[in-house]
Amino acid sequence: MYTIQPYNIQYYDQWNDFVARSKNGTFLFHRDFMEYHADRFTDYSLLVFNDNKLVALLPANRVGDVVYSHQGLTYGGILLTAQNKLADVIHIVRAILKYLNDRGITAFSAKSIPDIYHKMPAQEMEYTLFVAGAKLVRRDGLSVYDILGTFPFTKKRLEAIRRGEKNNLLIVEEPNFDLFWNEILIPNLKEKHEAAPVHTAEEIKFLHSKFPENIRHFNVYNNGTIVAGTTVFITDTVAKPQYISGNPDKNQLGSLDYLYNHLIRNVFKEKQYFDLGPSHDPDSRKLKEGIIFWKESFGARTLNHDFYEVPTVNFINLDNALI
């Protein structure tokens, strides 16, 4: 019999242990990561049990009468283990939807975990949501480079990398987040987009202190002056530049190309994928052609990241999903 329990601190160790052994979870689902911005979200995370055995997790938050795969995380959904079979997940999703419906939640908004982050195939949730009648409400196109593949950099990228070599750029791995945030990242985001980083420098330093193996930072120097940098989130299979930015001379110096080449060819050559993220405007859905051109010139190609919404009353659609 499947039962649901809302997360509270007594489940801290059990939750984190499950994340570590899940087939599709990453360090973003560790409670220490999720709760650094707990003041911004009303947590509605759930644990799913089958005969008192923990079989699934749902990292989530609530806004009004809608529960979301946690909006403070880049990706989400239901965390599963290698032991979860498709039929099990149908029961799990039904139990979650009924639990939400019984408590006045009208809809579940579920973002997927892109399959490059899976340790093994784990798209049971997506299949089950389709059977339940969920709608695809958003699709992001991620630019992904297969490090273990053989797709080459373009001639233009190789020229930019050589430009970085000729300028004697120095790449240093160091947790000097303040320098990068204050000298490069914040000014660039403000000037180009009238925006600010999602994480403050203090927040990223705190997260780095909790996950030093999963969050690494690299600064690029030219004659002793910082000219570019990146903060990289690392999982079992993927290296993802969470922030990357360069000064106005980045094209002349070749600093970002030189940095990406170093990360792909040297630092993270044992990972399978390098996730360069989306290149479109989330509101207009228009593709930023210059940015996608730059990413694809490294050999990156598109992987879809899907978002679904399903009325919780649709749990009844899963009653006859098994023969």
Side-chain angles (χ1 to χ4, degrees):
M1 178 178 180
Y2 289 89
T3 57
I4 310 289
Q5 291 294 330
Y7 175 80
N8 62 58
I9 193 62
Q10 76 178 25
Y11 292 117
Y12 174 87
D13 290 331
Q14 196 172 7
W15 177 285
N16 293 330
D17 289 343
F18 189 95
V19 171
R21 60 186 175 85
S22 68
K23 65 178 180 178
N24 58 344
T26 71
F27 76 100
L28 270 66
F29 302 112
H30 192 287
R31 294 309 305 191
D32 288 347
F33 191 100
M34 291 181 62
E35 291 171 7
Y36 85 89
H37 52 15
D39 58 316
R40 304 178 201 170
F41 301 95
T42 301
D43 191 87
Y44 209 86
S45 298
L46 303 176
L47 300 90
V48 184
F49 294 86
N50 185 18
D51 294 332
N52 297 317
K53 179 183 178 182
L54 182 60
V55 295
L57 300 177
L58 174 63
N61 68 286
R62 177 177 180 173
V63 179
D65 60 358
V66 179
V67 163
Y68 294 84
S69 286
H70 206 290
Q71 293 172 295
L73 303 176
T74 307
Y75 43 78
I78 299 172
L79 304 190
L80 305 166
T81 70
Q83 287 69 45
N84 291 127
K85 306 299 191 300
L86 180 55
D88 302 327
V89 179
I90 291 173
H91 290 297
I92 288 167
V93 174
R94 184 194 183 281
I96 290 173
L97 292 178
K98 186 176 188 307
Y99 176 90
L100 297 177
N101 188 257
D102 289 347
R103 285 153 183 80
I105 305 297
T106 61
F108 173 44
S109 181
K111 66 180 78 171
S112 63
I113 301 172
D115 60 10
I116 57 173
Y117 290 90
H118 300 173
K119 304 180 190 73
M120 60 185 297
Q123 291 190 317
E124 292 87 353
M125 181 194 75
E126 290 88 331
Y127 172 85
T128 304
L129 289 177
F130 170 77
V131 173
K135 291 183 179 180
L136 177 67
V137 295
R138 173 179 164 185
R139 170 169 283 168
D140 291 352
L142 308 181
S143 294
V144 176
Y145 180 79
D146 185 347
I147 296 176
L148 301 183
T150 57
F151 208 86
F153 294 178
T154 64
K155 181 179 178 180
K156 190 169 185 177
R157 286 287 68 76
L158 294 173
E159 289 173 351
I161 293 165
R162 285 193 291 270
R163 195 156 59 244
E165 294 172 348
K166 291 178 181 178
N167 285 306
N168 296 312
L169 298 182
L170 176 65
I171 300 173
V172 180
E173 181 174 2
E174 58 183 357
N176 195 342
F177 298 100
D178 285 318
L179 180 64
F180 173 64
W181 250 247
N182 295 327
E183 297 295 324
I184 302 291
L185 185 61
I186 292 175
N188 276 358
L189 288 176
K190 181 174 177 57
E191 180 180 350
K192 295 179 180 179
H193 307 290
E194 280 297 318
V198 173
H199 303 91
T200 66
E202 291 304 313
E203 287 172 340
I204 205 71
K205 285 189 287 187
F206 168 77
L207 291 172
H208 176 261
S209 72
K210 293 289 186 179
F211 306 98
E213 301 299 319
N214 299 105
I215 300 176
R216 296 169 65 180
H217 184 75
F218 303 81
N219 285 328
V220 185
Y221 294 91
N222 181 37
N223 296 323
T225 300
I226 186 171
V227 294
T230 184
T231 301
V232 184
F233 282 11
I234 303 123
T235 68
D236 291 272
T237 57
V238 180
K240 180 185 186 300
Q242 190 71 14
Y243 295 104
I244 185 162
S245 191
N247 72 0
D249 295 328
K250 60 182 180 293
N251 292 329
Q252 181 179 348
L253 293 171
S255 56
L256 295 185
D257 301 271
Y258 187 65
L259 175 57
Y260 264 12
N261 178 67
H262 176 66
L263 297 177
I264 292 171
R265 299 299 194 201
N266 300 313
V267 181
F268 299 115
K269 63 183 180 181
E270 302 302 324
K271 295 296 178 184
Q272 184 166 358
Y273 301 108
F274 197 73
D275 180 2
L276 286 75
S279 304
H280 59 273
D281 181 89
D283 297 319
S284 69
R285 300 185 183 180
K286 292 182 179 180
L287 187 67
K288 299 175 183 178
E289 192 171 3
I291 294 177
I292 191 70
F293 172 82
W294 183 66
K295 293 176 180 179
E296 291 181 343
S297 68
F298 278 99
R301 292 297 182 265
T302 299
L303 176 79
N304 291 332
H305 181 202
D306 290 342
F307 297 68
Y308 304 89
E309 187 168 296
V310 59
T312 58
V313 71
N314 283 23
F315 74 86
I316 60 176
N317 291 350
L318 300 176
D319 286 346
N320 299 309
L322 297 170
I323 299 175

